[in-house]
Amino acid sequence: MRTRVTALLKIRYPIIQGGMQWVGRAELASAVSHAGGLGILTSLTQPTPQALGEEIDRCRRMTSEPFGVNLTVLPTANPPRYDDYLGVAIDRQVPVLETAGSNMATFIARAKAAGMVVVHKCTSVRHALSAQAHGVDAVSIDGFEAAGHAGEDDIGALVLIRIAARRLAVPVVASGGIADGAAMAAVMALGAEGVNMGTRFCATQEAPLHPNIKRALVSATERDTKLIFRTLRNTGRVLRNAISEEVVAREQAPGGATFPDLHPLVAGARGRSALERGAVDDGLVWAGQSVGVIDDLPTCGDLIARMVAEYREAIARCQAAALE
Ligand SMILES: Cc1cc2nc3c(=O)[nH]c(=O)nc-3n(C[C@H](O)[C@H](O)[C@H](O)COP(=O)(O)O)c2cc1C
């Protein structure tokens, strides 16, 4: 396939695996890149910048295809050494940086000056326009369907991607709710030049997740996600489980809840341990509405090949309808 996104990222298919905390490791990123998409290592999954460097080296040993690094900047009392993580990606000459979060201008400028291709992921057209003004090469836009922090605007991808494609000069990558080639055809028809997926890539053979978690994703329906942290204006979409139900209940109880109140339930270490042990109800499992579309656990290679075939079928179907 050929779009501005495949040319920019030097990949065969415009299919990106978005950064994913605890999941974006070399096993998954290398498999996606090897299959012709763009795999992304998640910086903050690594405990130190040095460990990110080792993960980059490991990924390079697993694939000779290009892959990227995600840098997610979230409001926190104790910020990690973001600059040092980026420095490691620059020193290792990783070709692509996916940025997410707020106040990214200095990181974007530094990555661009070092020759990286920068794709900024955001959840609104106004943030996409501001990223474009800061010089990013492309934007990924997460619709309301997406896993993770999909913002407070609650606009679905169908509307968001259409407006973004009309208003931006840089290429738009559609993200959120995409899990097969028909959805890819839909967003490409809206003007996107690539897709970004998270949840779908969690349900693959290579995703470093316990089989119980993968089974939970396969059996979930489109109604099995929850929006947490709504009352704190930091909304996140996760799988419906005992923890997310409890978080929402505490937020909705009289007096509400603060982040410190919720911390024992949502702490990153707890989520990570639940993912590793397969304890589906003991930590947050980030997942989007596309879980309803997912019903198998293919390899990344089979998934990407199937998506491309489905994409072509969908285009042919639309073409046939246009001719009637
Ligand atoms: C398990 C998981 C963890 C995620 N962690 C991050 C993260 O650390 N940084 C980030 O920018 N996006 C993160 N995301 C969002 C994805 O990169 C992607 O934008 C989103 O999943 C797209 O929506 P979809 O799940 O409907 O495909 C995460 C998603 C999942 C499923």
Side-chain angles (χ1 to χ4, degrees), residues 18-21 23 42 70 72 100 121 142 146-147 175-178 196-199 202 286 290:
M20 288 189 275
Q21 183 65 326
V23 186
T42 309
N70 164 286
T72 303
K121 194 169 63 191
D142 270 324
S175 181
I178 300 159
N196 180 70
M197 305 192 299
T199 307
C202 289
W286 298 83
S290 68

Side-chain angles (χ1 to χ4, degrees), residues 226 243-254 256-257 262:
K226 279 296 251 198
I243 294 282
S244 56
E245 299 269 19
E246 176 69 19
V247 168
V248 173
R250 290 199 196 177
E251 285 188 79
Q252 286 170 352
L262 300 174

Side-chain angles (χ1 to χ4, degrees), residues 222-240:
E222 67 278 16
R223 300 179 66 231
D224 289 328
T225 67
K226 279 296 251 198
L227 294 173
I228 56 167
F229 307 151
R230 276 249 101 160
T231 58
L232 301 166
R233 292 197 58 75
N234 189 23
T235 302
R237 189 181 291 283
V238 295
L239 198 65
R240 179 195 297 276

Side-chain angles (χ1 to χ4, degrees), residues 25-84:
R25 299 173 190 270
E27 287 75 11
L28 181 60
S30 65
V32 174
S33 288
H34 189 69
L38 186 84
I40 293 187
L41 298 174
T42 309
S43 297
L44 301 185
T45 292
Q46 301 303 326
T48 60
Q50 188 198 357
L52 175 64
E54 286 157 17
E55 191 70 355
I56 292 168
D57 294 344
R58 205 161 73 82
C59 198
R60 277 228 168 94
R61 287 195 292 276
M62 296 164 89
T63 182
S64 53
E65 301 295 332
F67 57 87
V69 159
N70 164 286
L71 191 68
T72 303
V73 175
L74 290 173
T76 156
N78 227 341
R81 290 146 58 198
Y82 295 117
D83 267 317
D84 294 345

